[in-house]
């Protein structure tokens, strides 16, 4: 028997609370631009930041506000967490999911890294940082600078000194 | 925690702005922590100041390839949080007794400058350096509680007093490596103290030292250090190790125990090796003692027979029972027959070393190894990555076969012994060309022949097909200075070169050096040295140190008579890239030519 409560959200059965559904233990997350995301507590707990908040009882009925994470990035992080708690043992599937997940442009990858850093999702941080590391491999200095749009701020003398050290002194 | 997320408009940034500036430092740390290859690390350290700083902070290990190439203070300034450091000292020739003890490579300045300030240092490795008891004491004082690995490889100058200090103070030690060190033995208490004070030891190696130890202390060590995986000792009768083997349950790697009473099998019947042993090297083992290995020969991954009394036939019999070997080290008594067995049996073999045996032919059954044995091994063991062989005979065809079948070769060293008067298939020009062209993964290469072994054309081939080889040792190669110059022109990636017993002049050596853009170290002994070495100044340039050891008095006399240099065996040239200026600790028999003193 369905009924509508005062705030307009639907409930099932009688007398159950609306926003925190006891059966699947959901939690609400709000991105910086105000969008609302429902996730299981289990998936949310992959973020150590949110996990600590839940443990410390800082999560109220409304949910968790994340002023540092935009909606598009938060959606991706949630997708990652959902996938990883769903079937943590299916290594092959997870590997191909991860490979597809990081197949994005650098600035998106960096935004995910920032979000994962803020939310403290270790596995996601490792995955993305490894991906960035892989993109550096076997590249020359100039290629790395170009890839990330980095400006060389060494003086010619400093750069020459480091090159000599690298080639002659320290491996 | 991170900073602000950029607003939607800033998300579409122009390619010219630095996207990684939006990465917090912790993330860049994590990215660089996943970068291991030395070349990649070098590139990362040059990208910009921020990357340089974070590369320095995240680099776990640094090797100083030659101790006189840089100052310790520079290492400290650049890598203040270094955890693991390796430093190399004397020229490799020191291993063959060609470098007197007072040559240099002192550990003292490095320990003095770094032991205390490197707060995170946990692992130190010194190779071919002069290390005193005081040096070890300073190291232990500063780092004792944190030290997990101490490796002194072919070092000299210290005593067991230093080892006692290490044993008492370094309770976190997992690895103590002393192989081939010259250590003054003042008693075996160091081992007792190590056994009593340490419970974490995983690797203990004092192989090829002359230290005397008590088997009871080894037993105590095994009882207290449950994680002991590798033990390599100086000589100690195997029958005294029964107790140790019983206690060392986790042991996988053992070398050094000797069969003192060859022929007395009953004495050694009680010896039972721990169940997981798969790396083994037993000294003085003879035909009668060999059966102790048979019960577990199929699980052996590494076998060292260099110090055994086995005949060719013994080798055939034993190796046929070892199909799972990855590493095999033997003397050339193994003969071509034994190598055929290796080729047939050891399909997983990655490393093969064939050392020279006693030159007294009476002790060796066969005439050493030749192209027949090497070809058999090449055909049978396709996974070989390392081959080092002293051969009595060799052909171009055998070299070509090695090239064809051993595509994974990373390190190849061949020495042609003087035993056989006639070696029919010289020069080896075509064979070496074929091998170098095929083995594209080769990084280290040694080729030591006899006059006539390689013509100038062959020497040119070596340069032309040197590819990515970084280290070479060449002996008795080429015919004239022209060969050397042509060789040098081809060596774009060669970093370190050792030349012995060659006919080249000083001028040619200098010009050759100037042709090799990646060369940072050259050592020469046995060449047409002048009395003063002044012709070497043709290669004088900034950051290039030149050190000269004059020829013998006999050669000087001959020069005075003939009017020109002859090939002298005593004269040495060492030249190397250095950011530290000329070294200040040369012995009086070494003359620094450049920079001028």
């Amino acid at each position: 028997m369905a009924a509508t409560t005062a705030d307009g959200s639907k409930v099932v059965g009688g007398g159950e609370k609306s926003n925190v559904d006891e059966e699947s233990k959901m939690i609400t997350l709000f991105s910086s631009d105000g969008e609302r995301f429902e996730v299981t507590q289990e998936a949310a707990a992959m973020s150590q930041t949110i996990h600590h908040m839940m443990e410390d009882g800082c999560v109220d009925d409304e949910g968790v506000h994340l002023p540092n994470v935009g909606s598009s990035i938060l959606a991706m992080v949630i997708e990652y967490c959902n996938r990883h708690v769903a079937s943590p043992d299916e290594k092959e599937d997870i590997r191909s999911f991860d490979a597809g997940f990081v197949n994005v442009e650098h600035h998106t990858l960096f935004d995910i890294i920032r979000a994962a850093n803020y939310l403290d999702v270790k596995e996601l941080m490792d995955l993305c940082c490894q991906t960035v590391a892989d993109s550096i491999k076997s590249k020359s200095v100039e290629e790395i600078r170009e890839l990330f749009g980095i400006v060389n701020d060494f003086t010619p003398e400093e750069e020459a000194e480091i090159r000599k050290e690298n080639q002659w002194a320290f491996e | 925690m991170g900073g602000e997320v950029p607003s939607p408009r800033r998300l579409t940034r122009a390619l010219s702005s630095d996207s990684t500036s939006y990465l917090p430092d912790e993330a860049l740390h994590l990215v660089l922590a996943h970068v291991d290859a030395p070349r990649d690390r070098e590139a990362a350290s040059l990208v910009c100041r921020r990357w340089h700083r974070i590369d320095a902070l995240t680099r776990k290990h640094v090797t100083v390839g030659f101790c006189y190439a840089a100052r310790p203070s520079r290492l400290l300034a650049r890598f203040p949080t270094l955890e693991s450091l390796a430093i190399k000292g004397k020229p490799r020739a020191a291993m063959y007794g060609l470098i007197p003890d007072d040559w240099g490579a002192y550990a003292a300045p490095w320990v003095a400058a770094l032991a205390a300030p490197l707060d995170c240092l946990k692992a130190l490795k010194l190779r071919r350096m002069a290390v005193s008891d005081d040096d070890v004491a300073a190291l232990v004082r500063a780092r004792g509680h944190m030290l997990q690995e101490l490796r002194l490889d072919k070092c000299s100058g210290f005593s067991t007093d230093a080892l006692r200090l290490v044993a008492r103070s370094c309770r976190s030690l997992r690895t103590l490596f002393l192989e081939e060190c010259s250590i003054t033995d003042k008693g075996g208490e160091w081992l007792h103290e190590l056994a009593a004070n340490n419970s974490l030891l995983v690797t203990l190696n004092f192989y090829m030292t002359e230290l005397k130890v008590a088997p009871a202390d080894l037993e105590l060590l095994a009882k207290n250090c449950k994680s002991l995986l590798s033990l390599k000792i100086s000589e100690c009768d195997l029958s005294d190790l029964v107790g140790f083997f019983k206690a060392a349950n986790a042991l996988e790697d053992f070398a050094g125990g000797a069969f003192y009473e060859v022929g007395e099998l009953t004495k050694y019947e009680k010896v039972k090796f721990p169940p997981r042993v798969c790396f083994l090297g037993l000294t003085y083992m003879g035909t009668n003692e060999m059966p102790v290995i048979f019960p577990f020969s199929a699980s052996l991954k590494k076998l060292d027979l260099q110090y055994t009394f086995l005949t060719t036939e013994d080798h055939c019999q034993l190796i046929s029972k070892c199909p799972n070997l990855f590493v095999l080290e033997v003397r050339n008594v193994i003969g071509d027959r034994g190598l055929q067995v290796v080729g047939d049996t050891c399909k997983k073999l990655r490393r093969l070393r064939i050392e020279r045996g006693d030159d007294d032919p009476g002790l060796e059954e066969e005439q050493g190894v030749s192209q027949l044995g090497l070809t058999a091994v090449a055909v049978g063991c396709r996974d070989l990555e390392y081959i080092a062989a002293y051969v009595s005979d060799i052909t171009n065809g055998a070299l070509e076969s090695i090239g064809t079948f051993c595509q994974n070769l990373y390190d190849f060293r061949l020495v042609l012994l003087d035993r056989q008067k006639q070696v029919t298939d010289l020069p080896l020009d075509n064979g070496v060309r074929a091998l170098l062209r095929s083995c594209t993964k080769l990084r280290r290469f040694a080729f030591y022949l006899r006059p006539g072994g390689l013509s100038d054309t062959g020497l040119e081939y070596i340069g032309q097909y040197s590819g990515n080889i970084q280290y070479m040792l060449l002996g008795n190669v080429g015919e004239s200075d022209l060969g050397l110059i042509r060789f040098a022109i081809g060596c774009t990636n060669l970093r370190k070169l050792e030349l012995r017993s060659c006919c080249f002049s000083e001028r040619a050596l200098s010009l050759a050096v100037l042709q090799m853009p990646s060369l940072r170290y050259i050592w020469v002994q046995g060449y047409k040295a002048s009395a003063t070495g002044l012709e070497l100044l043709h290669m004088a340039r900034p950051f290039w140190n030149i050190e000269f050891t004059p020829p013998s008095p006999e050669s000087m006399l001959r020069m005075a008579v003939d009017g020109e240099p002859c090939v002298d065996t005593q004269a040495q040239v060492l030249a190397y890239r250095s950011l530290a200026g000329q070294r200040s600790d040369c012995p009086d028999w070494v003359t620094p030519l450049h920079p001028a003193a």
Side-chain angles (χ1 to χ4, degrees):
Chain A
M1 218 175 15
T4 309
T5 60
D7 69 348
S9 49
K10 293 204 188 313
V11 298
V12 175
E16 282 162 326
K17 287 193 122 204
S18 52
N19 284 11
V20 182
D21 184 340
E22 298 274 7
E23 275 193 353
S24 51
K25 292 193 168 130
M26 303 297 282
I27 181 176
T28 308
L29 303 177
F30 292 93
S31 67
S32 60
D33 42 343
E35 261 197 58
R36 184 191 160 116
F37 297 86
E38 301 274 341
V39 275
T40 61
Q41 279 195 14
E42 200 191 346
M46 278 193 78
S47 155
Q48 289 299 305
T49 308
I50 297 179
H51 177 69
H52 288 315
M53 285 166 90
M54 292 194 298
E55 278 198 336
D56 295 344
C58 298
V59 179
D60 57 21
D61 287 351
E62 228 192 72
V64 182
H65 287 268
L66 302 167
N68 288 5
V69 191
S71 51
S72 58
I73 298 299
L74 184 56
M76 294 182 76
V77 175
I78 289 172
E79 186 194 349
Y80 177 89
C81 294
N82 281 340
R83 186 69 180 77
H84 274 249
V85 299
S87 46
D89 296 323
E90 276 151 50
K91 295 232 156 82
E92 270 310 312
D93 290 341
I94 291 224
R95 228 188 311 226
S96 68
F97 167 81
D98 283 354
F101 185 82
V102 291
N103 192 11
V104 293
E105 289 188 47
H106 270 122
H107 60 80
T108 309
L109 202 56
F110 293 159
D111 286 337
I112 298 175
I113 289 177
R114 285 167 55 83
N117 189 33
Y118 169 69
L119 291 169
D120 199 0
V121 185
K122 187 178 178 305
E123 302 89 332
L124 183 55
M125 269 291 261
D126 280 344
L127 173 65
C128 293
C129 289
Q130 175 74 68
T131 306
V132 177
D134 289 343
S135 71
I136 296 173
K137 287 182 183 161
S138 301
K139 288 211 164 59
S140 71
V141 181
E142 290 72 24
E143 283 169 337
I144 298 176
R145 286 182 188 146
E146 205 185 299
L147 184 61
F148 299 117
I150 298 176
V151 171
N152 177 11
D153 56 353
F154 287 122
T155 65
E157 294 76 29
E158 282 170 341
E159 194 172 331
E161 193 66 28
I162 298 169
R163 272 189 206 275
K164 288 198 203 87
E165 269 180 24
N166 287 348
Q167 278 160 21
W168 303 339
F170 307 134
E171 280 160 68
Chain B
M1 295 298 180
E4 264 109 51
V5 158
S7 62
R9 204 172 334 134
R10 280 169 71 195
L11 274 171
T12 55
R13 32 198 104 99
L15 264 165
S16 57
S17 69
D18 180 1
S19 50
T20 63
S21 65
Y22 292 101
L23 272 184
D25 268 5
E26 308 94 84
L28 194 52
H29 267 83
L30 205 51
V31 167
L32 286 181
H34 285 293
V35 176
D36 291 320
R39 272 249 178 96
D40 294 334
R41 277 284 175 174
E42 278 176 31
S45 71
L46 281 162
V47 167
C48 66
R49 285 173 200 245
R50 186 180 177 222
W51 280 54
H52 181 81
R53 180 173 46 86
I54 295 181
D55 160 65
L57 294 174
T58 55
R59 223 188 270 210
K60 290 268 177 323
H61 173 84
V62 167
T63 296
V64 179
F66 183 46
C67 61
Y68 291 113
R71 292 196 178 90
S73 54
R74 188 60 211 130
L75 178 78
L76 178 62
R78 184 166 168 187
F79 301 105
T81 57
L82 197 61
E83 292 181 16
S84 169
L85 174 64
I87 310 173
K88 298 183 189 175
K90 296 179 192 167
R92 285 180 68 258
M95 297 190 295
Y96 303 100
L98 297 167
I99 309 278
D101 274 338
D102 62 344
W103 180 85
Y106 301 104
W110 292 89
V111 173
L114 299 175
L118 280 180
D119 284 331
C120 305
L121 193 69
K122 296 192 291 211
L124 180 65
K125 174 174 178 177
L126 304 177
R127 181 182 284 185
R128 290 193 295 272
M129 292 190 76
V131 181
S132 70
D133 283 353
D134 286 343
D135 296 331
V136 177
L139 176 67
V140 166
R141 232 183 349 258
R143 295 258 69 77
H145 55 293
M146 269 189 71
L147 210 57
Q148 290 188 17
E149 288 182 29
L150 180 60
R151 292 175 204 262
L152 303 175
D153 185 358
K154 306 178 187 62
C155 295
S156 59
F158 60 103
S159 76
T160 46
D161 286 349
L163 298 182
R164 282 187 79 169
L165 207 51
V166 170
R168 251 183 262 142
S169 313
C170 302
R171 307 205 175 201
S172 302
L173 209 59
R174 268 91 163 147
T175 295
L176 181 60
F177 180 104
L178 304 164
E179 191 168 312
E180 268 191 271
C181 285
S182 294
I183 309 172
T184 306
D185 196 345
K186 294 185 180 174
E189 296 85 13
W190 68 273
L191 181 60
H192 184 82
E193 299 212 37
L194 185 65
N197 288 320
N198 190 302
S199 60
L200 300 172
L201 209 63
V202 174
T203 299
L204 176 61
N205 181 329
F206 52 100
Y207 198 39
M208 314 233 273
T209 65
E210 314 240 307
L211 297 176
K212 296 266 178 295
V213 293
D217 290 332
L218 287 173
E219 215 175 308
L220 184 62
L221 187 75
K223 291 202 176 110
N224 288 343
C225 300
K226 298 281 181 232
S227 314
L228 193 68
L229 285 183
S230 171
L231 181 74
K232 297 191 183 180
I233 58 176
S234 51
E235 286 178 18
C236 174
D237 193 37
L238 257 184
S239 63
D240 290 335
L241 294 176
V242 172
F244 165 75
F245 286 140
K246 274 212 189 91
N249 250 310
L251 201 71
E252 293 177 6
D253 183 2
F254 177 77
F259 293 91
Y260 280 142
E261 292 176 42
V262 174
E264 290 289 319
L265 185 58
T266 41
K267 186 176 181 193
Y268 300 108
E269 266 169 0
K270 286 175 285 143
V271 175
K272 294 256 174 320
F273 292 98
R276 297 220 196 109
V277 165
C278 55
F279 288 14
L280 198 58
L282 301 176
T283 309
Y284 305 148
M285 183 169 67
T287 316
N288 288 326
E289 294 74 46
M290 206 170 55
V292 301
I293 301 188
F294 290 172
F296 57 101
S297 59
S299 49
L300 283 180
K301 294 187 192 157
K302 177 175 168 182
L303 190 56
D304 181 357
L305 303 173
Q306 292 175 99
Y307 307 102
T308 60
F309 288 143
L310 301 179
T311 62
T312 307
E313 184 53 49
D314 292 334
H315 280 83
C316 293
Q317 196 190 0
L318 177 56
I319 292 169
S320 67
K321 296 180 193 289
C322 302
N324 290 308
L325 284 181
F326 283 101
V327 179
L328 178 62
E329 294 171 318
V330 294
R331 289 195 323 278
N332 56 2
V333 63
I334 190 175
D336 287 335
R337 275 202 297 136
L339 288 181
Q340 183 69 61
V341 174
V342 174
D344 291 338
T345 316
C346 306
K347 297 302 183 188
K348 299 183 186 173
L349 204 65
R350 300 261 176 91
R351 290 177 68 96
L352 175 64
R353 177 168 194 87
I354 308 169
E355 265 292 339
R356 68 189 303 167
D358 230 325
D359 286 335
D360 176 359
L363 272 139
E364 312 286 88
E365 223 182 67
E366 306 261 326
Q367 295 311 302
V369 311
S370 76
Q371 62 273 10
L372 295 171
L374 278 190
T375 306
V377 165
V379 169
C381 308
R382 307 288 176 94
D383 288 343
L384 276 168
E385 294 169 358
Y386 172 103
I387 299 175
Y390 283 80
V391 300
S392 308
D393 195 359
I394 189 71
T395 58
N396 282 286
L399 293 176
E400 203 173 327
S401 296
I402 294 172
T404 307
F405 294 109
C406 299
Q407 295 282 305
N408 284 327
L409 266 186
Y410 170 95
D411 191 332
F412 179 76
R413 304 173 196 225
L414 187 86
V415 179
L416 179 57
L417 293 169
D418 275 335
R419 275 175 146 194
Q420 235 166 263
K421 283 235 146 51
Q422 286 279 68
V423 174
T424 42
D425 203 21
L426 299 182
L428 296 170
D429 299 358
N430 293 333
V432 79
R433 176 176 55 171
L435 188 147
L436 293 178
R437 268 165 116 168
S438 272
C439 296
T440 52
K441 295 185 189 174
L442 214 54
R443 296 290 173 272
R444 300 172 73 78
F445 178 69
F447 215 46
Y448 204 129
L449 307 175
R450 57 172 69 169
L454 199 73
S455 75
D456 276 349
T457 306
L459 189 50
E460 187 181 348
Y461 288 158
I462 296 184
Q464 192 180 352
Y465 298 106
S466 60
N468 288 315
I469 296 177
Q470 294 179 349
Y471 162 79
M472 275 200 216
L473 161 63
L474 300 175
N476 264 319
V477 294
E479 303 162 289
S480 74
D481 284 348
L482 201 54
L484 181 65
I485 305 291
R486 289 202 176 128
F487 156 79
I489 289 173
C491 289
T492 38
N493 290 314
L494 193 64
R495 294 197 192 175
K496 184 171 171 178
L497 177 62
E498 294 178 344
L499 287 174
R500 289 207 61 205
S501 304
C502 296
C503 55
F504 312 125
S505 68
E506 274 164 5
R507 191 185 164 82
L509 285 172
S510 300
L511 294 178
V513 163
L514 296 176
Q515 298 295 328
M516 294 187 271
S518 305
L519 196 73
R520 63 188 192 193
Y521 180 109
I522 179 169
W523 179 83
V524 185
Q525 191 207 32
Y527 73 104
K528 284 189 179 155
S530 69
T532 54
L534 286 181
E535 289 274 300
L536 295 169
L537 289 174
H538 284 290
M539 60 171 169
R541 53 193 176 171
F543 306 110
W544 184 248
N545 289 7
I546 307 173
E547 294 168 16
F548 174 68
T549 300
S552 63
E554 295 78 30
S555 291
M556 299 268 230
L557 214 57
R558 258 181 80 180
M559 263 190 267
V561 167
D562 293 348
E564 60 173 70
C566 55
V567 176
D568 177 84
T569 51
Q570 204 166 288
Q572 288 182 32
V573 179
L574 175 62
Y576 54 95
R577 286 291 195 188
S578 178
L579 296 168
Q582 189 58 258
R583 65 169 173 132
S584 53
D585 56 9
C586 277
D588 54 18
W589 48 273
V590 174
T591 309
L593 288 179
H594 182 84

